[in-house]
Amino acid sequence: MKILIARMNHETNTFSPVPTPLEAFGRDGPSYGDDAYRENAGMRTAMSAFIDAAKRADAEIVTPVSAQANPSGRVAAAAYDAICQSIVYAAAGCDAVMLDLHGAMVAENSPDGEGDLLERVRRALPHAPIAVSLDLHANVTQKMIDNADVITSFKTYPHVDMYESGEHAARLLLDLIHGKAKPVIAWAQPPLLTHTLRSATAEGAMKRAVDAAREAEDEEGVLAVSVLSGFSLADIAAPCISVVVVADGERTKAQQVAHRIARQIWSERDGFVYRSAPLAQSVSEGAALARETNKPILLLDHGDNCMSGGTCDTTDAFEEALRQELDGIVVGPLCDPEAVAKLFAAGEGSRITVGIGNKLASVASCGKPPLEVTGVVRALTDGEYIISGPTYTGQRAYMGRAAVLETPAARILLTERTHEPWDLGVFESVGIDPRSARFLILKSRMYCRPVFVPISGGLVECDSRGVTSSDYGLFDFGNLKRPVYPLDVEADY
């Protein structure tokens, strides 16, 4: 048996000005062939699980590509074509396909990146079974449903079960191949734009929806149930929450379960809506928390969040902290290649005045000048470190060149690439102990929490009204099918 295994991950924020060329995938582009295999073998991605399952099945493994990029704007047409072609061209002679996909990719030449890829793979291998593992924030489409035999998704956010989702999909695909099951897929999609800050699976309506999915998987004939909250910052027809059910030969059963959980979600639709407080109020709440603890207070700038496509160069939250005279601040990573170049030219130990941030036109920073700061260059590095986990455990992370500028009130981490603070290594790799901060201003929404919450004395969510803001009124949705909740209160399901 010959199994094609590949990874194509990108969550596209169509409102983001951050470009997504082929070079954005990986350090300097995707990994191919044996490099793609090595990048995932022994790791905790869905592709890692596919490799392990195929090895146990004593299958020949073909790994044409592993391509993962941070969320950003539309994927360049040339990049999308190159990744898809590498997968489709490798399909010849394969008996099965396992794909690690995000599910919310929009390319310049495709509003449904994964659906169009799956259609091409199905055309190339009309009789080969196809299994797909999706991110919890996937925007599911009918084309994706029509061209896959098995679909599973993560059940955690922050995502700590990527491997388990791949393992589940692989198991069902192998059961299909060996005649132990006949997977059929059904799905339901209420007209609901969820907020990412309401898709955390440890609490609230999202937890109850995922709990219902887990319980349904114990029902006879039900093989897999996924609740996918969707990614709403995409101007496509339906960037909405979905329920996908895989049943054993009974499509009616699958459809019943999908609609049952979808109706539960719709009955709790307000639980998926997040309303931001004014930025000044949020920073003030952080200042109050700091008076009660010696541990760092997390100020999470989710309005400019890397892992939702933020520019990571807005300075609103940092400026508000300075206006309120906070000190002991550690802020970053702030993406500003121009400022990094100036700090490298100045050299460590140099005193320099430099303008930082507000260089990419976005909702928040359009027309706003860079923030001028004066300080001492404390560190210059290659910006690389190994993630300790629990997300992307063991993988090497690339921030581009990184520099630390120390001012009287703050230590500012500047990088050449947008980067999520997955790990304490973001700061430790440049000589900053995040535990020593009084305030940690992180351009993050959720992924920082498993690592930074345990060292903190409190957390406040701050909306800087960047391109990842929770205020959907900032964005011009031209392709969205209406009515949809919460933009339209008359929406119904």
Side-chain angles (χ1 to χ4, degrees), residues 416-427:
E416 290 182 316
R417 301 178 69 164
T418 61
H419 192 76
E420 172 71 24
W422 306 104
D423 197 81
L424 299 181
V426 167
F427 296 106

Side-chain angles (χ1 to χ4, degrees), residues 55-325:
K55 287 169 65 177
R56 288 193 297 270
D58 198 26
E60 179 183 350
I61 300 172
V62 179
T63 53
V65 66
S66 176
Q68 188 272 332
N70 284 342
S72 48
R74 285 180 173 85
V75 176
Y80 178 70
D81 289 344
I83 297 168
C84 289
Q85 286 169 7
S86 66
I87 295 171
V88 175
Y89 289 170
C94 290
D95 302 297
V97 179
M98 299 181 184
L99 297 178
D100 177 347
L101 306 177
H102 184 285
M105 176 183 280
V106 179
E108 292 172 341
N109 54 341
S110 171
D112 182 5
E114 288 84 359
D116 287 341
L117 168 64
L118 286 168
E119 185 176 60
R120 291 179 61 184
V121 173
R122 177 68 81 193
R123 193 180 303 127
L125 293 172
H127 305 298
I130 300 171
V132 178
S133 172
L134 296 174
D135 190 285
L136 176 140
H137 294 103
N139 290 326
V140 180
T141 66
Q142 187 63 51
K143 191 175 287 189
M144 293 160 67
I145 298 294
D146 290 343
N147 291 285
D149 297 279
V150 172
I151 293 177
T152 64
S153 79
F154 312 156
K155 285 186 170 68
T156 62
Y157 180 51
H159 307 317
V160 294
D161 67 332
M162 293 181 282
Y163 184 93
E164 287 76 9
S165 174
E167 191 174 49
H168 194 171
R171 182 174 70 252
L172 296 184
L173 186 74
L174 291 171
D175 283 350
L176 168 61
I177 290 170
H178 297 305
K180 297 179 180 178
K182 297 180 180 179
V184 294
I185 302 177
W187 73 305
Q189 188 178 61
L192 171 60
L193 295 180
T194 71
H195 282 92
T196 308
L197 278 167
R198 288 291 178 261
S199 61
T201 53
E203 60 185 9
M206 187 62 180
K207 179 181 186 302
R208 289 186 286 276
V210 172
D211 286 346
R214 293 185 188 278
E215 291 171 9
E217 287 179 338
D218 291 332
E219 297 179 23
E220 185 176 355
V222 177
L223 302 176
V225 183
S226 301
V227 176
L228 306 100
S229 67
F231 181 64
S232 297
L233 294 173
D235 188 18
I236 58 175
C240 298
I241 195 167
S242 301
V243 181
V244 176
V245 179
V246 183
D248 190 3
E250 296 186 41
R251 196 175 305 277
T252 299
K253 173 69 173 179
Q255 199 68 67
Q256 289 172 345
V257 172
H259 282 307
R260 184 180 76 217
I261 297 176
R263 284 193 293 271
Q264 173 186 321
I265 289 169
W266 186 250
S267 71
E268 294 193 80
R269 55 192 176 277
D270 271 343
F272 293 90
V273 176
Y274 178 89
R275 294 176 175 86
S276 298
L279 182 57
Q281 177 183 323
S282 298
V283 173
S284 180
E285 289 175 9
L289 286 174
R291 292 191 286 271
E292 302 172 1
T293 179
N294 292 322
K295 294 183 176 182
I297 300 302
L298 303 182
L299 301 178
L300 301 191
D301 184 8
H302 64 87
D304 186 25
N305 165 33
C306 167
M307 292 310 290
S308 292
T311 61
C312 291
D313 83 332
T314 64
T315 59
D316 297 55
F318 182 36
E319 288 185 62
E320 182 59 33
L322 295 176
R323 190 189 69 79
Q324 295 192 26
E325 299 183 342

Side-chain angles (χ1 to χ4, degrees), residues 23-73:
E23 294 75 23
F25 291 85
R27 184 178 184 180
D28 295 302
S31 298
Y32 299 98
D34 291 342
D35 288 338
Y37 180 94
R38 285 190 291 268
E39 183 177 280
N40 289 273
M43 300 299 176
R44 298 296 297 175
T45 64
M47 184 169 172
S48 308
F50 293 158
I51 290 170
D52 289 346
K55 287 169 65 177
R56 288 193 297 270
D58 198 26
E60 179 183 350
I61 300 172
V62 179
T63 53
V65 66
S66 176
Q68 188 272 332
N70 284 342
S72 48

Side-chain angles (χ1 to χ4, degrees), residues 1-24:
M1 183 164 53
K2 185 177 182 180
I3 301 179
L4 188 159
I5 298 174
R7 182 184 184 199
M8 184 180 80
N9 288 178
H10 186 259
E11 183 178 77
T12 306
N13 181 333
T14 62
F15 303 103
S16 173
V18 180
T20 315
L22 189 63
E23 294 75 23

